[in-house]
Amino acid sequence: MYDIIRKKRNGEELTDKEIAFFVNGYTHDEIPDAQAAALCMAICLNGMTSKETVTLTNQMACSGDRVDLSKFGQLSVDKHSTGGVGDKTSLIVAPIVASLGGKVAKMSGRGLGYTGGTIDKLESIPGFRTSLSTDAFIAQVEKVGIAIIGQTGNLAPADKKLYALRDVTATADSIPLITSSIMSKKLAAGAHSIVLDVKVGSGAFMKTPEEARILAESMVSIGKSCGRKMAALLTNMDAPLGRTVGNALEIQEAVDLLKNRRKGDLWEVCVALASEMTMLFREITEEQARVLVLDALHSGKAYAKIREWIAAQGGDLSFIDRPALLPQASVIFPVLSPKNGYIFRMDAEQIGSVASVLGAGRVKKEDRIDHAAGIVLSKKTGDFVQQGDVLCHLHTNDSSKLEEAEKRFLDALVFGKAEPPPLPMVYSTVR
Ligand code: URA
């Protein structure tokens, strides 16, 4: 291991054998954290060639269980978001795609820090089971077209250890390490087609479209070289996506969109992602896919599919039909605008942390979350507001948190005299 660290520190390319030695040894606790951290830092500073990144990704993907979706052939399709604030796209996109014949066998994560997680959102629906045996998982995908469960303990265990190590050693933001982390889990999860939603902006890992494009190109090329059909959309995360941040609130917004009650930024990103997934698994053009996706929404097919899916996983459908029954906070507090002007900028990361303060998120992995807590935005970037207008409502069951949450929320906004230039929701697509 000492020689491998020194080689990477000197900027040399590691062989397949050396990378396999590291991944196997670290996964099986035969290499200490200190040496793994030193190698991560050397990779951070000196990068990896695409050959090294492919090997690292494959070795990590093979470090534990792999899901076999081969019985679905071309139809299995997955999506992955690099993480944002108010990102409930999986809850919307999966039913659209499944209503068009796609097979979505998805493993999702929980929220940590300022970003939310699909599994926490689903757990706000009483009865919903986020853990299924492999046989039940596959059988549900076959019958309904969707199953979304928490990541099983032994999927890419090398990533589990490395991700935790990177988090505390300032080695998280390295393109080859992010690529191998995300793609190892996606490859092990087995889908034939994978669409990545690479978030860009104040609420994302990647702050500029240029940085995001480099990461997207790296992940798409690794996926293709491992035989998968790949695409990545670079999407805007300068403001929270949609109008809600928080678990039950986001379920409600997702259901409303599927009932055709909402358009806007969230709708636009979901239609783009669902179209890209449909293009890949049906082998049709972008225009053809978009027509199908819009029809799935307008005809109610996608809404019927979310009901079928939630019921199949044990969720009580009365909460989907009447989302007002979902957990509600005891305190709903309006935040008022301190001045007249345009909302020029919103710091999405800071707004994500406000939702955490209110109880919607975790600071540490073991923290319990309050499914009812969160934020409902009344105004977003580009809106003109008068002093005293409601900017958002804070939802919480802990009123002692309101003062800090209100202050942080207002600190996250920049007001201006002029209207800010509009930014696209989808910057570009990497195929
Ligand atoms: N998400 C992951 O799973 N891994 C990373 O390294 C970054 C985001």
Side-chain angles (χ1 to χ4, degrees):
M1 190 58 201
Y2 180 94
D3 295 337
I4 293 173
I5 298 167
R6 192 177 45 184
K7 199 168 166 190
K8 184 44 70 185
R9 187 202 65 190
N10 292 342
E12 291 170 49
E13 187 177 48
L14 301 178
T15 63
D16 292 353
K17 218 169 141 196
E18 287 163 335
I19 293 171
F21 175 85
F22 163 62
V23 174
N24 281 329
Y26 190 54
T27 309
H28 296 108
D29 299 326
E30 286 152 12
I31 291 170
D33 280 349
Q35 286 187 317
L39 182 63
C40 285
M41 185 57 84
I43 293 172
C44 229
L45 297 174
N46 290 330
M48 277 187 140
T49 61
S50 57
K51 181 171 175 291
E52 286 176 300
T53 312
V54 170
T55 307
L56 179 63
T57 308
N58 268 323
Q59 285 297 329
M60 286 166 65
C62 293
S63 65
D65 298 340
R66 299 184 71 117
V67 183
D68 181 7
L69 299 179
S70 56
K71 72 190 302 183
F72 303 120
Q74 298 261 87
L75 296 179
S76 63
V77 56
D78 198 355
K79 79 166 266 284
H80 179 83
S81 153
T82 55
V85 179
D87 181 2
K88 66 282 288 174
T89 52
S90 291
L91 302 168
I92 298 162
V93 165
I96 297 176
V97 169
S99 77
L100 296 172
K103 298 291 182 191
V104 186
K106 189 161 167 49
M107 295 198 182
S108 289
R110 293 185 184 278
L112 187 62
Y114 67 89
T115 60
T118 304
I119 292 301
D120 292 327
K121 293 170 203 188
L122 287 167
E123 283 180 349
S124 50
I125 305 170
F128 192 92
R129 290 188 298 271
T130 51
S131 149
L132 298 175
S133 69
T134 307
D135 287 349
F137 178 61
I138 301 292
Q140 184 178 310
V141 173
E142 187 152 29
K143 184 158 177 264
V144 180
I146 322 178
I148 300 188
I149 58 171
Q151 195 174 306
T152 63
N154 207 31
L155 195 90
D159 177 60
K160 205 173 209 174
K161 281 194 78 181
L162 272 175
Y163 199 18
L165 184 75
R166 285 165 54 214
D167 203 25
V168 293
T169 53
T171 52
D173 53 353
S174 138
I175 299 277
L177 293 178
I178 300 174
T179 300
S180 55
S181 167
I182 293 177
M183 289 307 297
S184 62
K185 286 175 285 202
K186 290 287 115 185
L187 294 177
H192 187 68
S193 297
I194 302 166
V195 172
L196 303 165
D197 180 6
V198 181
K199 302 287 188 195
V200 188
S202 64
F205 236 154
M206 299 287 138
K207 304 292 179 201
T208 66
E210 294 71 33
E211 280 176 295
R213 195 170 180 90
I214 295 171
L215 176 62
E217 282 171 353
S218 164
M219 293 193 289
V220 165
S221 115
I222 298 292
K224 283 186 180 170
S225 65
C226 296
R228 310 300 167 98
K229 284 162 89 179
M230 297 292 307
L233 267 59
L234 271 53
T235 70
N236 189 317
M237 189 36 76
D238 266 315
L241 194 55
R243 292 276 166 183
T244 59
V245 186
N247 299 289
L249 294 168
E250 292 191 38
I251 293 278
Q252 189 159 344
E253 185 175 19
V255 171
D256 272 359
L257 191 148
L258 289 169
K259 282 183 180 162
N260 290 302
R261 293 213 189 112
R262 279 174 195 263
K263 281 216 172 159
D265 57 355
L266 175 63
W267 183 92
E268 205 180 311
V269 171
C270 288
V271 168
L273 287 169
S275 300
E276 198 66 34
M277 290 166 81
T278 305
M279 243 178 99
L280 290 186
F281 84 82
R282 288 185 66 149
E283 300 194 307
I284 54 179
T285 65
E286 194 174 352
E287 293 70 32
Q288 288 167 327
R290 195 175 163 92
V291 169
L292 290 176
V293 164
L294 294 179
D295 178 64
L297 282 167
H298 296 152
S299 64
K301 270 200 298 208
Y303 178 60
K305 189 53 83 178
I306 195 176
R307 291 184 85 258
E308 194 186 346
W309 160 42
I310 299 295
Q313 258 174 272
D316 182 339
L317 280 184
S318 49
F319 293 86
I320 298 299
D321 295 334
R322 283 190 295 146
L325 296 176
L326 286 166
Q328 302 289 330
S330 55
V331 181
I332 299 178
F333 178 85
V335 177
L336 307 182
S337 176
K339 51 179 96 167
N340 297 342
Y342 285 96
I343 299 185
F344 201 79
R345 222 178 82 80
M346 297 180 107
D347 184 327
E349 178 172 340
Q350 171 94 339
I351 293 174
S353 78
V354 173
S356 272
V357 167
L358 293 167
R362 296 184 182 81
V363 179
K364 300 187 299 307
K365 260 203 223 128
E366 317 65 60
D367 292 346
R368 284 178 68 85
I369 55 165
D370 177 356
H371 287 104
I375 306 168
V376 178
L377 299 165
S378 308
K379 304 288 180 196
K380 290 188 66 171
T381 311
D383 287 340
F384 184 80
V385 293
Q386 307 271 8
Q387 186 178 6
D389 280 354
V390 174
L391 298 172
C392 76
H393 284 93
L394 306 176
H395 291 231
T396 186
N397 287 308
D398 183 354
S399 52
S400 71
K401 296 292 193 295
L402 282 175
E403 197 179 322
E404 182 189 350
E406 181 184 30
K407 180 175 178 317
R408 280 203 199 196
F409 183 86
L410 289 172
D411 284 349
L413 304 187
V414 176
F415 292 88
K417 288 200 170 64
E419 198 172 351
L423 289 173
M425 281 316 295
V426 179
Y427 286 100
S428 59
T429 305
V430 175
R431 293 190 177 118

